[in-house]
Amino acid sequence: MDAEAWKKRYQREKSARKAAEHIAEEKTREIFFRNQELTKLAASLEEAVKERTRELEQQNLSLEEHRDKLKNQRRMLQSTNQALEEKAIELEKISRYKSEFLANVSHELRTPLNSTIILARLMLDNSEGSLNTDELHSLSIIYKNANELLEIIEDILDMSKVQAGELSIHMEDVSIHDLCQTLEEQFRPLADEKSLAFTIDVDSDLGEWINADRKRLKQILKNLLSNACKFTPGQGRVALRVFRDVWNPDTDYTSECLSFEVSDSGIGVPQEKQQTIFQMFKQADGSTSRNYGGTGLGLAICRKLSDLMDASLTLVSEKGQGATFTLSLPPGSLLPNTEEHSPSSKDNDFFLESAGSDDNEVVDFNQQTVLLVDDDLRNSFALSQLLQKQGLKVLLSENGQQALELLETERQVDLVVLDLMMPTMDGFTMLEQLRSKVDYRMLPVIMLTASSSAEDEKRCRLAGADDYLSKPVEVSELLTCLHRWL
Amino acid sequence: MKGIIFTEFMEMVEEKFSVDVVEEILSAANLESNGEYTSLGTYSHEEVLNLVTLLSEKSGLEAGDLAVVFGEYLFGRFATIHADFFHGVSNGFDFMEKVEGYIHIEVQKLYPDATPPKLTCTRASDDKLELHYRSHRPFASVAEGLINGCAAHFNENLTIDRQDLPGVGPGTEARFIMERTS
């Protein structure tokens, strides 16, 4: 190959080398840029991760704050709850104290009132004819006022019991006839005095017997009738109607029930007051108490008692158009009309009261000896006056211990009237000791106490009491009871 | 040192002298690389100094002058190969000011192991520039040649006052004070 050819070949190779170098450089540049992009991408990814991490941290932080806030709120709620609970306990305690206080005060008031009523009643009899008309009139006012006072005390006591949750219901079979007769006897004189047209109407399709709490039912009806008489002006009309009614009339589940409807032509209750009069210490307006008297407890107690009996007590009235109160006893109160109740049923308060109230039926006793055990001397005095008048001998003891000692020396005792709450030895302990002695197992013992709790009655009867009367006892009731055992 | 300095030096010798002179000084130099240069490689700067010395002996020209001539030649080649560096640059001073902050950085992108000289420009006025050169290689004369090449490229007349500074040895540091006269 000649020099010229070598030169050409050299130039060719040099060009090829340069081209290769150029390509390599381009490739290197490309790689650099790719690398740069990758680095950027990595950096932006890293930044995104960092950003996301920051966001998560922020979220975490706010979640933690939120959690702390919730924790705080929960703590606050807990402490509030605790404070409320403590307050509730305190209030309950206060309420109980109040109820106990009211019960105690009522008891203390009832005991002296008891003797006042008995003595006034005795003197009103004027058996020796020594009192003139004015004196008898004064006495009748004392007797009436004492009875009114007693009713107020009873209301307060009931209300405190309701509030303390101590009021319970005792269902038994009650004769509608006897119930209505008692009400008739009690309200007829009142109605006559004000020249009111007073009627009691029992639907003929009703049976004789219903199932209810006799005492509470009577209490509600007495209250309603007493209100009706009180708020109806002279020449007006007061009516009690007893009839089959529809239970739950506003719902799909209706059945038959028993309703007592007390209506009058009195002053009525304005629409806006029809709920408040059922609240404690509330009357239709401030002037009611001034014009008509009363504590404002009657209807509140009626509503509570009605609730306790699962009954409903409603009012329909317009101002100046009279009022109609309806007490509806739940369906279970209606009993099938059968005769089997009659024989045993005569032994109940209504019968005895109605019978007892008829003075003609009370015959004098035959100088039997009654031992009267009571620490309240006023009460003992009043009772002994009453019993001596009925032809009984009366021995007095101030407590159980004294009575037991007296029984050791004076064996001619035909019956014991025993107070429950006494110092030194209470009636319950004395009764137990008496029954533990053979000689006195059969001696009739009538418990007499201001406590009206059913628990006490049960306890006394278990311990061997033959009868149980609660103070203030109606004269007729006591005499009937004595007749039963002497 | 980047291979392009070597390949361009060879080109210059080939062009200004002859292929034979290239072969002569290469065989005389007895180089480690055996003169098998590519622009992509990196070679010891001692080799190019060695070749310059041999060329000086062969041609009877001063080694320093040869270095300056090589610098001028090299600038012309750059202007050809990397025309993109000259876009939007209208005069020599502007270009010189771009070298450190732009071109050397571009070089390092392609050749991360490259160690270009450190150039610092201080503009006293529109027509007066001080360029400070510092390197671990004694190439101040090549730098001077490059400045000449730059002036020629932009068709400018420059007076260049070169002050050699001690640096890390002769030719490693210099200050060029330039004034543009037209």
Side-chain angles (χ1 to χ4, degrees):
Chain A
M1 198 162 46
D2 62 11
E4 197 54 35
W6 276 113
K7 200 175 176 182
K8 273 188 184 166
R9 183 171 178 175
Y10 167 68
Q11 286 301 337
R12 224 174 26 246
E13 303 248 320
K14 197 164 77 175
S15 293
R17 191 201 77 213
K18 285 192 177 175
E21 284 171 357
H22 184 69
I23 290 168
E25 219 165 56
E26 284 300 308
K27 288 287 168 201
T28 311
R29 191 177 281 111
E30 205 180 307
I31 287 167
F32 170 81
F33 285 116
R34 285 279 160 83
N35 214 15
Q36 206 173 32
E37 275 169 19
L38 280 173
T39 313
K40 253 189 221 158
L41 196 64
S44 80
L45 275 174
E46 209 173 311
E47 193 49 45
V49 168
K50 271 186 194 163
E51 183 60 30
R52 189 79 192 115
T53 310
R54 260 197 300 278
E55 269 176 34
L56 284 172
E57 275 171 359
Q58 196 58 39
Q59 279 176 2
N60 236 2
L61 205 70
S62 73
L63 274 175
E64 268 174 31
E65 275 171 17
H66 198 61
R67 190 196 58 195
D68 286 351
K69 219 161 101 184
L70 280 176
K71 265 188 190 171
N72 270 344
Q73 281 176 350
R74 204 180 53 189
R75 252 200 304 279
M76 267 164 66
L77 261 179
Q78 275 174 344
S79 68
T80 310
N81 262 352
Q82 203 181 343
L84 277 175
E85 259 173 42
E86 282 166 13
K87 202 77 199 158
I89 291 170
E90 198 182 321
L91 281 174
E92 203 184 299
K93 220 193 283 177
I94 291 171
S95 171
R96 206 172 53 238
Y97 287 160
K98 194 188 79 183
S99 301
E100 280 170 12
F101 171 75
L102 281 174
N104 282 338
V105 167
S106 302
H107 175 93
E108 293 305 319
L109 289 171
R110 260 160 34 134
T111 308
L113 210 49
N114 190 32
S115 43
T116 308
I117 290 171
I118 292 172
L119 289 175
R121 169 78 200 267
L122 274 177
M123 288 174 81
L124 264 177
D125 285 351
N126 196 17
S127 50
E128 291 171 20
S130 57
L131 299 172
N132 63 34
T133 318
D134 282 349
E135 285 167 335
L136 283 173
H137 182 62
S138 300
L139 272 172
S140 74
I141 292 172
I142 293 174
Y143 181 69
K144 207 174 131 205
N145 286 358
N147 269 313
E148 273 178 22
L149 200 52
L150 188 66
E151 270 174 31
I152 294 172
I153 292 164
E154 295 281 358
D155 279 355
I156 294 173
L157 187 63
D158 275 350
M159 210 63 237
S160 66
K161 274 186 183 169
V162 166
Q163 284 179 334
E166 284 171 5
L167 224 151
S168 54
I169 290 298
H170 305 283
M171 301 302 277
E172 55 193 317
D173 291 353
V174 180
S175 154
I176 300 179
H177 171 257
D178 286 344
L179 174 63
C180 290
Q181 192 179 334
T182 313
L183 294 171
E184 163 81 24
E185 278 161 10
Q186 189 168 352
F187 288 96
R188 176 63 62 198
L190 206 61
D192 287 350
E193 204 174 288
K194 282 181 84 175
S195 306
L196 299 173
F198 177 52
T199 54
I200 294 182
D201 180 24
V202 180
D203 273 16
S204 55
D205 62 345
L206 283 173
E208 172 69 14
W209 298 94
I210 59 168
N211 190 259
D213 183 315
R214 176 175 44 201
K215 187 176 163 194
R216 298 308 179 186
L217 175 59
K218 194 169 85 175
Q219 191 177 348
I220 295 173
L221 293 175
K222 271 171 137 180
N223 205 302
L224 296 179
L225 283 170
S226 159
N227 278 348
C229 291
K230 194 197 280 185
F231 294 112
T232 304
Q235 316 300 324
R237 175 190 59 81
V238 170
L240 166 63
R241 198 182 140 225
V242 190
F243 57 100
R244 282 179 193 273
D245 204 352
V246 180
W247 182 250
N248 278 344
D250 296 331
T251 71
D252 293 341
Y253 309 98
T254 57
S255 53
E256 247 185 357
C257 70
L258 180 68
S259 284
F260 294 81
E261 182 189 273
V262 176
S263 58
D264 64 54
S265 61
I267 59 169
V269 183
Q271 196 69 34
E272 68 273 15
K273 301 287 182 187
Q274 293 188 1
Q275 284 309 312
T276 45
I277 57 165
F278 286 106
Q279 292 168 13
M280 257 187 281
F281 308 112
K282 290 277 170 66
Q283 293 180 326
D285 68 70
S287 63
T288 308
S289 171
R290 284 195 298 281
N291 296 338
Y292 299 97
T295 54
L297 280 174
L299 282 175
I301 293 172
C302 287
R303 174 56 68 78
K304 293 277 182 198
L305 292 175
S306 157
D307 289 348
L308 277 172
M309 294 194 293
D310 293 327
S312 82
L313 178 58
T314 54
L315 164 64
V316 176
S317 178
E318 261 177 62
K319 193 177 171 139
Q321 302 288 310
T324 301
F325 286 88
T326 307
L327 174 73
S328 297
L329 300 182
S333 302
L334 280 168
L335 293 175
N337 193 8
T338 56
E339 291 302 316
E340 56 191 75
H341 283 285
S342 306
S344 62
S345 63
K346 286 295 173 192
D347 188 25
N348 72 63
D349 279 0
F350 286 125
F351 175 75
L352 287 174
E353 265 183 45
S354 53
S357 63
D358 185 354
D359 282 355
N360 295 334
E361 283 188 21
V362 177
V363 291
D364 285 349
F365 294 95
N366 195 15
Q367 294 300 314
Q368 292 100 326
T369 304
V370 171
L371 171 58
L372 201 57
V373 192
D374 194 334
D375 60 317
D376 189 322
L377 289 176
R378 292 165 301 184
N379 208 23
S380 301
F381 176 72
L383 274 180
S384 66
Q385 289 286 305
L386 173 76
L387 299 183
Q388 278 166 14
K389 267 208 174 135
Q390 301 294 323
L392 287 168
K393 284 188 199 161
V394 180
L395 295 172
L396 294 176
S397 285
E398 278 183 56
N399 61 58
Q401 189 60 42
Q402 211 183 70
L404 285 174
E405 283 164 17
L406 189 74
L407 279 171
E408 289 299 315
T409 54
E410 192 72 49
R411 290 187 166 271
Q412 279 302 311
V413 170
D414 299 299
L415 185 144
V416 179
V417 175
L418 184 54
D419 186 31
L420 191 60
M421 311 256 278
M422 291 180 295
T424 316
M425 183 187 286
D426 66 13
F428 187 74
T429 314
M430 182 193 156
L431 182 61
E432 279 184 327
Q433 295 207 2
L434 207 59
R435 290 299 186 226
S436 70
K437 293 176 180 158
V438 181
D439 292 352
Y440 301 119
R441 284 236 170 109
M442 301 308 285
L443 179 64
V445 175
I446 298 168
M447 298 303 287
L448 186 61
T449 171
S451 157
S452 46
S453 95
E455 198 59 35
D456 276 346
E457 177 172 355
K458 197 173 163 195
R459 210 158 67 103
C460 288
R461 287 198 189 274
L462 277 174
D466 295 296
D467 236 325
Y468 183 93
L469 295 174
S470 61
K471 289 188 204 171
V473 66
E474 293 213 6
V475 173
S476 59
E477 201 178 349
L478 175 63
L479 293 179
T480 309
C481 189
L482 289 173
H483 269 293
R484 200 180 315 160
W485 298 104
L486 288 173
Chain B
M1 175 163 254
K2 289 314 302 170
I4 189 165
I5 303 296
F6 295 86
T7 55
E8 288 306 324
F9 181 75
M10 294 319 222
E11 288 276 342
M12 183 195 77
V13 176
E14 218 178 283
E15 197 179 291
K16 304 249 181 207
F17 300 89
S18 72
V19 178
D20 292 336
V21 173
V22 172
E23 287 306 316
E24 221 173 295
I25 58 172
L26 275 178
S27 54
N30 191 22
L31 302 164
E32 195 186 336
S33 67
N34 218 13
E36 297 159 358
Y37 301 123
T38 82
S39 67
L40 303 170
T42 302
Y43 312 96
S44 166
H45 68 272
E46 305 289 346
E47 290 196 5
V48 80
L49 287 175
N50 198 357
L51 290 170
V52 169
T53 309
L54 287 169
L55 182 61
S56 165
E57 281 168 8
K58 172 88 188 160
S59 62
L61 293 167
E62 275 291 319
D65 292 344
L66 278 174
V68 171
V69 169
F70 174 55
E72 283 175 29
Y73 174 82
L74 198 54
F75 191 90
R77 290 293 299 151
F78 282 160
T80 309
I81 302 167
H82 298 294
D84 45 329
F85 286 158
F86 293 83
H87 286 311
V89 183
S90 56
N91 64 70
F93 287 176
D94 283 358
F95 184 81
M96 283 181 236
E97 282 170 340
K98 265 184 81 176
V99 173
E100 178 71 16
Y102 174 41
I103 295 165
H104 283 177
I105 284 171
E106 289 299 314
V107 170
Q108 225 131 23
K109 282 182 187 172
L110 288 177
Y111 309 105
D113 56 341
T115 53
K118 179 89 186 142
L119 302 180
T120 315
C121 290
T122 314
R123 190 77 88 103
S125 70
D126 266 2
D127 294 323
K128 199 167 179 184
L129 180 75
E130 181 187 311
L131 190 149
H132 183 267
Y133 166 91
R134 189 155 49 89
S135 175
H136 65 283
R137 303 182 194 103
F139 280 16
S141 296
V142 178
E144 190 183 332
L146 284 165
I147 290 170
N148 290 339
C150 178
H153 178 84
F154 288 102
N155 216 2
E156 290 171 333
N157 281 327
L158 293 183
T159 58
I160 302 168
D161 173 18
R162 170 175 167 178
Q163 297 166 3
D164 282 319
L165 299 167
V168 291
T172 58
E173 188 177 2
R175 186 185 294 125
F176 301 92
I177 298 165
M178 295 162 276
E179 195 156 2
R180 189 161 49 197
T181 53
S182 67

